Amino acid sequence: MATKVYIVYYSMYGHVEKLAEEILKGAASVEGVEAKLWQVAETLQDDVLGKMGAPPKSEVPIISPNDLSEADGLLFGFPTRFGMMAAQFKAFFDSTGGLWRTQALAGKPAGIFYSTGSQGGGQETTALTAITQLVHHGMVFVPIGYSFGAGMFEMEQIKGGSPYGAGTYAGDGTRQPSELELQQAFHQGKYFAGIAKKLKGSTI
């Protein structure tokens, strides 16, 4: 039976979505892994989003809390708001109380990816503060560490991401994920899927 990896994200301007698409490709490249994209529900009204210049949402299906329990591994992606995950994703986590009560997600591997507006805008704190959500559910946090190799030490160009997970810088919104950032996202998907597959096949 295939190992199911769900990539669940919220993206207002498309930066996190681009990372999610590359993570999907990376996860799907692992034999025996079935990867799927999901997005969490928007909490803002359309007129508010319009004033903020947010583009229409993609056709990626909206996830419900109970869908999470079907996955063997979960990767969560979101933009930062003052060094923490966006409220839309926090609202989704807040709706998972039923899963927490039964510990339905306990033992499942989970990873994190993100987007920030600037270099000091939360590339590590966004992931660090999000880990509390995983801990209360009993999930097993899987960072990428320095497994991306030389790309983790790139100094000649601006690059988002950290040992916690793949990341990008949105700047004023016009900057898009760089090729190196997309490569790191692909790597995270592949690396994470390999671990999820191993954990599913273990006899522990």
Side-chain angles (χ1 to χ4, degrees):
M1 184 178 294
T3 299
K4 291 185 178 181
V5 172
Y6 285 177
I7 299 107
V8 185
Y9 69 92
Y10 171 75
S11 189
M12 179 174 284
Y13 296 106
H15 300 83
V16 174
E17 186 168 63
K18 282 189 170 64
L19 294 180
E21 290 168 350
E22 287 302 309
I23 287 173
L24 175 72
K25 294 175 186 176
S29 73
V30 177
E31 185 177 355
V33 170
E34 179 183 304
K36 184 175 181 179
L37 285 181
W38 297 88
Q39 59 181 327
V40 303
E42 179 59 77
T43 60
L44 297 177
Q45 299 296 321
D46 289 343
D47 60 332
V48 175
L49 291 170
K51 291 176 181 178
M52 297 175 73
K57 299 297 183 189
S58 67
E59 296 301 314
V60 171
I62 303 295
I63 196 167
S64 69
N66 287 337
D67 291 322
L68 296 177
S69 61
E70 300 173 357
D72 299 303
L74 295 156
L75 281 157
F76 301 113
F78 30 77
T80 188
R81 298 292 184 266
F82 303 110
M84 297 184 289
M85 68 173 66
Q88 288 87 342
F89 213 99
K90 182 58 168 64
F92 173 73
F93 267 126
D94 286 349
S95 71
T96 62
L99 298 175
W100 165 80
R101 194 174 300 112
T102 60
Q103 285 294 283
L105 304 181
K108 292 182 184 292
I112 294 168
F113 59 102
Y114 41 82
S115 171
T116 69
S118 64
Q119 290 176 288
Q123 285 284 313
E124 292 198 357
T125 61
T126 302
L128 187 61
T129 54
I131 291 173
T132 60
Q133 312 296 312
L134 312 185
V135 169
H136 282 262
H137 276 289
M139 289 185 276
V140 180
F141 178 51
V142 180
I144 61 171
Y146 283 83
S147 62
F148 187 48
M152 295 297 293
F153 300 93
E154 173 59 42
M155 299 293 286
E156 298 302 317
Q157 60 175 295
I158 294 175
K159 183 192 76 67
S162 73
Y164 291 94
T168 188
Y169 295 117
D172 62 1
T174 58
R175 182 185 186 274
Q176 295 300 312
S178 68
E179 184 59 33
L180 187 58
E181 289 170 340
L182 294 176
Q183 289 172 10
Q184 186 177 44
F186 181 95
H187 169 76
Q188 182 174 14
K190 184 176 181 178
Y191 178 77
F192 178 87
I195 291 176
K197 181 180 177 181
K198 288 178 182 178
L199 288 175
K200 183 177 182 179
S202 69
T203 57
I204 296 175

